[in-house]
Amino acid sequence: MTAIELVRGDLTRESVDAIVNAANSSLLGGGGVDGAIHRRGGPAILEDCRRLRAAHLGKGLPTGQAVATTAGELDARWVVHTVGPVFSATEDRSGLLASCYRESLRVAGELGARTVAFPAISTGVYGWPMDDGARIAVETVAADTTVEEVRFVLFDERAYEAFAAQLR
Ligand code: ADP
């Protein structure tokens, strides 16, 4: 069974095998978690992303999928980039958000990662309500057995509380 831990803090400061990035499909940089990862991880991550785009991801990474690169100068072996869905009030995109967690774990597990740190995917610029984003994250990871430990790294108290409520 996968152990689930909650940390309040900055994802880019974690020491784990794999850090998951809430990327956008271009893989060529953005704000939020993505900007923080590239800032702290250095240019090697972006170079890897460019290589992936040039090789088999010409159109970018589809929503709900995941791909790994080097972690550059971060204290991890890999960054797993996944593209969360933009929240929609008229269309249920929960399956895509669950897929981000599942696919990130699959990719990390295939590489041999035992510990994986996640942000609250889609709950920033992509507008997913935090409570629901936390529910989908915790349910999906709890149903998975790919890695030994998943750490959700929550930036603020509200996010931390939303995840803690799901674990209670
Ligand atoms: P998305 O585009 O998938 O919504 P964002 O990067 O905008 O992704 O935000 C995802 C979540 O990560 C938000 O809840 C945001 O507050 C949080 N976040 C932003 N920077 C960090 C960080 N350095 N560490 C952990 N969480 C972060």
Side-chain angles (χ1 to χ4, degrees):
M1 221 185 91
T2 306
I4 299 179
E5 289 190 9
L6 302 186
V7 174
R8 184 173 165 191
D10 180 347
L11 181 68
T12 67
R13 304 270 185 182
E14 288 298 310
S15 309
V16 280
D17 293 328
I19 291 177
V20 177
N21 181 18
N24 60 54
S25 68
S26 81
L27 295 181
L28 300 180
V33 171
D34 194 61
I37 281 177
H38 286 291
R39 261 195 311 279
R40 189 170 295 275
I45 302 174
L46 196 55
E47 277 166 30
D48 252 12
C49 288
R50 288 217 176 86
R51 231 173 272 135
L52 288 170
R53 286 294 308 271
H56 65 286
L57 289 175
K59 289 180 179 162
L61 181 65
T63 305
Q65 296 189 21
V67 73
T69 66
T70 175
E73 288 155 40
L74 299 176
D75 193 7
R77 291 173 72 190
W78 305 282
V79 169
V80 174
H81 306 263
T82 189
V83 182
V86 174
F87 180 75
S88 164
T90 53
E91 183 189 18
D92 182 8
R93 298 176 180 166
S94 311
L96 285 169
L97 184 54
S99 175
C100 287
Y101 289 97
R102 211 178 306 113
E103 285 298 299
S104 296
L105 288 175
R106 188 180 61 75
V107 167
E110 279 176 9
L111 289 165
R114 291 157 64 167
T115 54
V116 178
F118 279 98
I121 298 166
S122 287
T123 64
V125 173
Y126 284 179
W128 209 285
M130 185 59 77
D131 290 343
D132 198 54
R135 177 186 65 77
I136 292 166
V138 169
E139 280 180 8
T140 306
V141 165
D144 200 281
T145 54
T146 309
V147 304
E148 285 174 20
E149 185 194 314
V150 164
R151 216 174 285 170
F152 290 111
V153 184
L154 295 325
F155 214 35
D156 56 35
E157 192 59 34
R158 194 174 62 86
Y160 185 94
E161 274 309 314
F163 275 72
Q166 291 301 323
L167 287 178
R168 283 197 282 269

